[in-house]
C-alpha cells in the first residue's frame, strides 16, 4: 500500500515512492512460476480523486526451460503505469478508498505482460532426447544416430492406400 494523502491534498504535485512487493507462485500456460520480491520505484501525482503512478518494475521470475526442463531465472525490468480512482470507473483504472492505493495488482499485471511465451535456458539448448530422456546439453546420446527421422504423417499414408484399394 502506498500513502497518497499528499497527492490528494496537493493536486499536480509529484511524490516519489518505493514499494517492495511479494507475489505468490502462480501457474501461467501450464508452467509454475515463482517470483523474487519485486521492486516498484517511481512517482505518483493526483488530480481530483484520481492518482496516476509511473514507475520502474524489477523482479526475477523462476521457471523451467521448455526444451530441457532445467530451472531458469528470467529478469524483468520494465516501465509500469497505472491510474487509480476513488470511483474505480473506467477501463484500466484501479479503485481505491481512503488515502492509500494498492499497487500490487497493477504491478502483477505489468509483470505478467513482460513474460516470454516460453522460457529457454539458452538459444542453443539441445533439449531432452525423445527416446531415453537424457539432457543433451549435459551428455551425448546416440539414440537417434543414423535413424531416419520419422514423419509424423506417415501413418496417414497407410490410410490413404487402404482407401484407394477399396475403391478399385
Amino acid at each position: 500500500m502506498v500513502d497518497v494523502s499528499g497527492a490528494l491534498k496537493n493536486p499536480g504535485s509529484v511524490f516519489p515512492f518505493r514499494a517492495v512487493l511479494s507475489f505468490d507462485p502462480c501457474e501461467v500456460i501450464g508452467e509454475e512460476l515463482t517470483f523474487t520480491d519485486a521492486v516498484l520505484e517511481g512517482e505518483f501525482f493526483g488530480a481530483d480523486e484520481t492518482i496516476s503512478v509511473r514507475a520502474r518494475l524489477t523482479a526475477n521470475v523462476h521457471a523451467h526451460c521448455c526444451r530441457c526442463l532445467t530451472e531458469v531465472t528470467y529478469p524483468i525490468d520494465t516501465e509500469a503505469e497505472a491510474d487509480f480512482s476513488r470511483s474505480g470507473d473506467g477501463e484500466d483504472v484501479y479503485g481505491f478508498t481512503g488515502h492509500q492505493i494498492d499497487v500490487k495488482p497493477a504491478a502483477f499485471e505489468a509483470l505478467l505482460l513482460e513474460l516470454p511465451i516460453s522460457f529457454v535456458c539458452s538459444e542453443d539448448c539441445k533439449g531432452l532426447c525423445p527416446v531415453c530422456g537424457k539432457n543433451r546439453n549435459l551428455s551425448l546420446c546416440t539414440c537417434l544416430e543414423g535413424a531416419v527421422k520419422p514423419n509424423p504423417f506417415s501413418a496417414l499414408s497407410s490410410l490413404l492406400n487402404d482407401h484407394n484399394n477399396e475403391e478399385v
Side-chain angles (χ1 to χ4, degrees):
M1 299 293 261
V2 175
D3 184 351
V4 294
S5 56
L8 294 170
K9 292 176 188 173
N10 303 304
S13 297
V14 176
F15 297 87
F17 80 98
R18 184 176 193 274
V20 178
L21 308 168
S22 296
F23 298 109
D24 293 330
C26 69
E27 186 176 310
V28 176
I29 311 176
E31 174 70 30
E32 182 75 19
L33 305 178
T34 57
F35 307 92
T36 60
D37 283 349
V39 176
L40 187 66
E41 192 166 15
E43 58 190 25
F44 60 88
F45 57 92
D48 286 332
E49 299 294 306
T50 302
I51 301 292
S52 294
V53 174
R54 309 292 176 254
R56 175 161 295 285
L57 175 67
T58 56
N60 287 321
V61 180
H62 301 287
H64 291 93
C65 175
C66 67
R67 297 178 192 165
C68 69
L69 303 180
T70 59
E71 190 171 307
V72 295
T73 300
Y74 184 80
I76 292 185
D77 186 352
T78 187
E79 294 292 321
E81 296 182 4
D83 293 319
F84 297 82
S85 172
R86 284 196 196 266
S87 66
D89 293 340
E91 206 173 298
D92 300 325
V93 175
Y94 296 90
F96 77 97
T97 57
H99 61 278
Q100 292 188 335
I101 58 173
D102 185 5
V103 294
K104 194 172 181 176
F108 189 66
E109 187 176 309
L111 185 71
L112 290 179
L113 289 172
E114 289 299 312
L115 294 176
I117 291 174
S118 60
F119 294 90
V120 292
C121 60
S122 69
E123 289 302 318
D124 60 344
C125 176
K126 297 174 186 163
L128 300 176
C129 172
V131 177
C132 69
K134 284 185 181 177
N135 184 339
R136 295 186 289 185
N137 297 311
L138 302 176
S139 62
L140 295 177
C141 158
T142 58
C143 294
L144 299 176
E145 239 176 60
V148 176
K149 186 174 181 180
N151 180 342
F153 300 105
S154 60
L156 296 176
S157 68
S158 66
L159 292 174
L160 184 59
N161 289 337
D162 291 345
H163 185 287
N164 286 340
N165 290 338
E166 288 175 4
E167 290 181 5
V168 176

